[in-house]
Amino acid sequence: MALTDDGAAPVAAALTNAGPAIEARGLRMRYGDDDVLKDVDLTAAPGEVIVLLGPNGAGKTTTIEILEGFRMRSAGEVSVLGADPAVGGESWRARLGVVLQSWRDHGNWRVREMLAHFAAHYAPFSTADRPRPRDVDALLETVGLSGHARAKVSSLSGGERRRLDVAVGIVGRPELLFLDEPTAGFDPLARRDFHDLVHRLADEEGTTVLLTTHDLDEAEKLADRILILADGRIVAEGSAEELARRVGTGSEVRWTQDGQRFVHAAPDGTAFVRELLEQHGDAVTGLEVQRASLEDAYMEMVARHESGRTAEAAAALEGIGR
Amino acid sequence: MNRTAHLLRQGWASGGLALMASLRSVQEMLGTVAFVAAFCVGLSFMRGRAVEGTSVDAATAALPGVLGLSVVFTGVVATAMVLATEREDGTLLRAKALPDGITVYLIGKIVYAAALVLTTVALLVLPGLFLFDGLAAGLARGWPLLLGVLLLGMVATIPFGAVLGSLFDNPRLVNAVGAVPIFALTGISGIFFPITALPEWLQWIAQAFPVYWVGLGLRSAVLPDSMLSAEIGESWRHLETMGALGAWAVLGLVLAPWLLRRTARRVSGANVEKARQKAMQRV
């Protein structure tokens, strides 16, 4: 199931332009009187995996669609693989992979014939570094659809359909891959295979990946860097660990004392435990200390946001990742 | 690799694959077969009677009109339906995500529509050759003209289907808005009875649209001159036919690419998702 099935060059050679894969400054999007994006700054280095998190309506899809060149921005400077997506040509398009949120197209085509037909679009854009397209049968194997090669696309389950979408997204061996909620409808095994795939794309082929998800566990597993988008702004940025450390409630300490179970949230878990043991010594058993997770951080952020203290939340989180 | 040749090959493949997919689809096949069968049966009832004042079989005389109707219907309504549907289900967006995808898509649609028209025509003409007196003889002489008019008819109507398809958001609306006028137009376009039987103002309306001209052109290809008494001015009016269909073709070819590009620009993943949810609510 190797991705480098037909001799793609290793990572270093694959990347021709040294600049960032994505660079957006002061990105704004306005529909009527509604500001969907307010001053979003975003940079992605080649080979970096970036996860965009945020509640529904925060502007994740809009951001991705502007970068893909599917939507015109209202203001801001954007460069994707060295070109402005609003005017990117066909050879620029050939270097991108796109997996959108919802696709029901070509339902009465067969799985393999659809993938092979789309693959052939990339043939004129093949380079020595990046032979395009990928081998279709190997790719079907990779996404676990070999057994469905002759099935009608509309007969696939939600998760299978999504895997086919991912296959179409990477069939042109993209340098930059956009994935909008790619794992919706995946079972746990498919999800893990998908995570492996993303890691291999980034590690073996130097593919830059920008993906959105609602699954925080997924974000933690995949992301080199996480951006949390809320109300059209990036309110936090950093690795999962950094975000967890700087936001949220510190640590959660659980222990048993005199046959009773205690749970205590402490800003500084270590200090709390030291004090606890000094005071109660041997009476404390079953001690567990859990550092705040990305989920805690995210929930905290969303809770603050939803209780109407948006400005405060944004201000409090402003410092993160700087 | 030659990019243009590759584009044409891809477009051709796209149309071919879409056609194969339609052939496999029972629902779509039943639609086409029902359309063809209904007209074959209808024409069979007319068969054996000669058109008044001539020796031409009534079924043979009516067949060109039916062919004209199927050209226009496929060209306009089917193309419009396909476009509106494929905008909603993400096919157009998929084309946008692929390099040269929109160009391949459009070539594919033209190939597909042309194949659909030719299939329908073949399905109507082949049984007619055996069933309807004089058709074989007429075709033996007029088949180049028949093919020429079919081709021009498609060029005149397919772009208009594309225009209609990009104007309406909802495929069901296309059917209502597109199909009803086409059937009304068919009624006055000399397909089931001579246009000269109609009041003059209706004749003028009919002559403004391609249904009449495609029908006339096809009649001129298949029927003997003894049928001219039923035509306006007792002439096949070849020049006027070319002029009228040519004008529609030019207008469509100018409007369609511009509208399609505009439509393709506007479509986004969020639209597709919204449409999906709406479609699910309807079910």
Side-chain angles (χ1 to χ4, degrees), chain A residues 65 71 90 93 100 102-106 108-110 113-114 117-118 120-122 124-125 161 165 168, chain B residues 3 6 10 14 17 21 24 28 88-91 93-94 96-100 268-270 272-273 276:
Chain A
E65 290 194 342
R71 238 172 230 278
E90 301 298 338
R93 169 71 55 206
L100 296 173
S102 165
W103 249 334
R104 294 171 295 141
D105 60 311
H106 296 87
N108 55 4
W109 291 33
R110 295 187 200 279
E113 82 186 9
M114 170 178 161
H117 177 63
F118 292 158
H121 283 71
Y122 291 91
F125 304 96
R161 167 82 226 211
D165 288 339
V168 174
Chain B
R3 179 115 165 250
H6 185 257
Q10 276 291 99
S14 163
L17 286 166
R24 286 195 304 258
E28 283 178 46
E88 206 184 38
D89 73 10
T91 306
L93 198 56
R94 172 82 73 190
K96 237 170 109 177
L98 295 164
D100 290 328
S268 74
V272 172
E273 175 61 21
R276 187 183 70 85

Side-chain angles (χ1 to χ4, degrees), chain A residues 169-244:
Chain A
I170 65 173
V171 74
R173 212 182 291 280
E175 288 155 57
L176 172 59
L177 176 62
F178 294 104
L179 300 152
D180 201 355
E181 293 181 24
T183 54
F186 278 26
D187 61 35
L189 181 64
R191 194 174 291 259
R192 206 182 57 191
D193 286 347
F194 172 77
H195 294 166
D196 287 348
L197 179 67
V198 170
H199 282 138
R200 289 207 307 273
L201 285 170
D203 296 345
E204 292 171 18
E205 298 183 2
T207 309
T208 311
V209 180
L210 178 62
L211 79 89
T212 71
T213 181
H214 282 295
D215 182 346
L216 297 162
D217 182 51
E218 179 166 284
E220 205 159 353
K221 281 196 176 112
L222 288 178
D224 293 324
R225 202 145 49 84
I226 293 171
L227 306 181
I228 299 181
L229 201 60
D231 197 27
R233 269 178 238 278
I234 289 178
V235 294
E237 181 176 347
S239 69
E241 213 185 44
E242 281 165 2
L243 290 177

Side-chain angles (χ1 to χ4, degrees), chain A residues 62-77:
Chain A
T62 304
T63 305
I64 267 200
E65 290 194 342
I66 288 172
L67 298 175
E68 287 164 345
F70 284 0
R71 238 172 230 278
M72 288 296 293
R73 59 190 183 268
S74 304
E77 274 172 45

Side-chain angles (χ1 to χ4, degrees), chain B residues 67-283:
Chain B
L67 296 184
L69 169 66
S70 70
V71 170
V72 174
F73 196 80
T74 312
V76 177
V77 182
T79 306
M81 279 288 285
V82 165
L83 266 169
T85 308
E86 296 194 341
R87 179 148 47 119
E88 206 184 38
D89 73 10
T91 306
L92 200 57
L93 198 56
R94 172 82 73 190
K96 237 170 109 177
L98 295 164
D100 290 328
I102 291 283
T103 313
V104 168
Y105 174 83
L106 288 179
I107 299 174
K109 281 296 152 255
I110 293 168
V111 170
Y112 176 74
L116 218 54
V117 169
L118 290 177
T119 310
T120 313
V121 166
L123 286 175
L124 282 165
V125 166
L126 286 180
L129 283 179
F130 302 101
L131 290 174
F132 310 143
D133 273 349
L135 182 61
L139 272 178
R141 176 179 49 83
W143 67 266
L145 188 55
L146 181 98
L147 282 183
V149 173
L150 281 179
L151 205 69
L152 192 58
M154 284 190 278
V155 181
T157 52
I158 293 171
F160 261 89
V163 168
L164 201 63
S166 19
L167 289 180
F168 292 98
D169 270 341
N170 185 335
R172 282 147 292 266
L173 204 63
V174 172
N175 214 0
V177 176
V180 172
I182 295 264
F183 277 122
L185 208 54
T186 306
I188 61 166
S189 289
I191 282 181
F192 297 109
F193 49 88
I195 190 167
T196 44
L198 290 171
E200 200 169 333
W201 63 275
L202 269 180
Q203 290 183 26
W204 280 110
I205 294 179
Q207 288 179 80
F209 293 94
V211 188
Y212 167 74
W213 294 105
V214 174
L216 177 67
L218 294 174
R219 279 197 297 279
S220 81
V222 174
L223 300 178
D225 288 348
S226 59
M227 286 297 294
L228 275 175
S229 59
E231 301 295 348
I232 297 172
E234 303 204 359
S235 155
W236 292 125
R237 298 197 288 168
H238 283 137
L239 280 179
E240 288 90 331
T241 303
M242 294 209 349
L245 292 180
W248 276 88
V250 168
L251 192 61
L253 286 173
V254 168
L255 274 178
W258 174 73
L259 266 170
L260 278 171
R261 267 199 299 273
R262 204 182 67 127
T263 307
R265 251 202 314 274
R266 275 194 326 208
V267 68
S268 74
N271 302 145
V272 172
E273 175 61 21
K274 235 181 282 162
R276 187 183 70 85
Q277 283 172 359
K278 243 198 292 180
M280 276 163 61
Q281 277 167 11
R282 274 194 291 263
V283 169

Side-chain angles (χ1 to χ4, degrees), chain A residues 33-48:
Chain A
D33 291 336
D34 193 16
D35 281 318
V36 181
L37 295 179
K38 307 158 186 164
D39 252 331
V40 169
D41 291 348
L42 192 159
T43 309
E48 200 174 18

